[in-house]
Amino acid sequence: MYDRVPNHKLTTWVNRCSEDLECLDLEEEQPLAELSSMQTDKLTLFFTELLDHDRDDVICDQDFDQFFERLAHFADWSPNSSEFHILLEVKREFIDHFINPLPAKFAELPYYRRVCGPEASGINIPGRTTLEGWLARWALHLSTMKRFTDLPLYLQYLCKILFHVVDRTSTGAITKPALAAFYRSVIGLNTNRVDEIIDTAYDRMTSNGYLILDYGTYVHCFTNWLMGKNPNGPGQWVLVPPKDSLPQPPFPVDYSALNTEPAKLEPYAPDKKTNRHSVIV
């Protein structure tokens, strides 16, 4: 019923296909590391809202100039201040890691040559990074990091810079009005949007007001911004707040138990009736 295809014709077709695809091994077109969807969302907002000013999905070193100048202007740091010089060093590191060519051990791999190479922007001009390349570089950057102290120094300094920018009155702790001012002036949110989110943002960053948003607390928020892989973390509010409404946490956290005298804590027993409304875990 069906004509048998001669073997030599089948062989010829396979060879032609290989030539058309330039003998690409699809298994090699894989990234060495990937971000979670939540990390992707947070770092995409950084790219689109704070760096890609002309909305062409491509950034260059001048885009970092504008972002860091905005931080310095809001904090009122003069060009002669030590804070401003640290800011410049952090900016240079960002350009080196996210604009300049990748190290050869990555740049020669097919996936990174495609998304991070000079032709990735579509205009074959070096010194440009697309959103896809930006995320691929972050994935490589964060793949071996588990805690704040694992971060390279320039990212640790970025954390300190952001804290002092928001706390521009140098009180030692970020207040809710200070965070709102940062959202308006640096992130560029309008007043109505800030009013909508500021209570949620501050509650998430301070565990519903239980914590003071000092530098130690801010370090945890910053670490969650980069490494947190699940929603509802405080890191979503460090830079650009999420555009969509967030789901409520699966259960409320009762911080009062942490301040209860040990003698008043009731030991848990699964077969014992109790009036407890929370469990310490």
Side-chain angles (χ1 to χ4, degrees), residues 42-280:
K42 290 180 287 189
L43 293 169
T44 295
L45 286 172
F46 186 7
F47 182 99
T48 58
E49 303 301 316
L50 299 180
L51 298 175
D52 185 18
H53 304 288
D54 53 7
R55 306 296 186 187
D56 62 352
D57 293 328
V58 176
I59 60 172
C60 60
D61 54 358
Q62 286 86 358
D63 293 309
F64 286 102
D65 290 340
Q66 295 183 48
F67 171 63
F68 283 100
E69 286 172 5
R70 194 185 307 176
L71 293 178
H73 178 75
F74 180 75
D76 197 24
W77 291 339
S78 72
N80 295 323
S81 66
S82 59
E83 294 88 352
F84 188 84
H85 286 284
I86 293 173
L87 199 70
L88 292 180
E89 290 299 325
V90 172
K91 183 186 72 173
R92 292 189 189 103
E93 290 288 339
F94 261 96
I95 292 172
D96 185 45
H97 285 90
F98 294 98
I99 299 296
N100 292 341
L102 284 173
K105 63 179 180 179
F106 300 126
E108 295 173 358
L109 298 176
Y111 175 80
Y112 296 100
R113 187 166 62 244
R114 179 174 64 81
V115 303
C116 300
E119 298 180 5
S121 63
I123 53 179
N124 197 21
I125 298 177
R128 303 286 191 274
T129 295
T130 63
L131 175 58
E132 187 178 15
W134 164 263
L135 296 174
R137 289 169 185 251
W138 271 113
L140 283 175
H141 220 33
L142 298 175
S143 61
T144 60
M145 301 176 190
K146 304 298 182 184
R147 57 185 67 85
F148 181 78
T149 52
D150 293 335
L151 295 173
L153 280 179
Y154 83 95
L155 288 178
Q156 295 186 38
Y157 271 110
L158 176 65
C159 177
K160 184 169 291 188
I161 286 169
L162 290 175
F163 176 80
H164 288 296
V165 166
V166 183
D167 179 34
R168 57 178 176 167
T169 57
S170 301
T171 62
I174 295 173
T175 63
K176 188 184 294 186
L179 184 62
F182 175 77
Y183 284 156
R184 285 192 299 268
S185 299
V186 177
I187 306 303
L189 302 182
N190 61 50
T191 300
N192 289 337
R193 179 58 177 161
V194 173
D195 291 342
E196 289 174 359
I197 67 170
I198 190 60
D199 289 339
T200 299
Y202 202 73
D203 284 347
R204 295 289 172 86
M205 297 180 79
T206 62
S207 295
N208 295 321
Y210 179 76
L211 301 173
I212 297 173
L213 193 48
D214 56 13
Y215 180 65
T217 303
Y218 194 82
V219 165
H220 289 292
C221 297
F222 182 87
T223 305
N224 182 263
W225 172 58
L226 289 178
M227 302 182 192
K229 298 182 178 181
N230 299 306
N232 295 312
Q236 289 179 274
W237 307 94
V238 166
L239 273 180
V240 184
K243 292 183 175 294
D244 301 325
S245 59
L246 294 177
Q248 291 299 313
F251 54 85
V253 179
D254 179 15
Y255 292 98
S256 64
L258 299 177
N259 298 321
T260 303
E261 297 177 9
K264 295 182 179 180
L265 294 175
E266 180 183 351
Y268 172 74
D271 57 347
K272 180 181 177 182
K273 291 185 178 181
T274 178
N275 293 323
R276 71 170 65 248
H277 57 84
S278 60
V279 178
I280 298 178

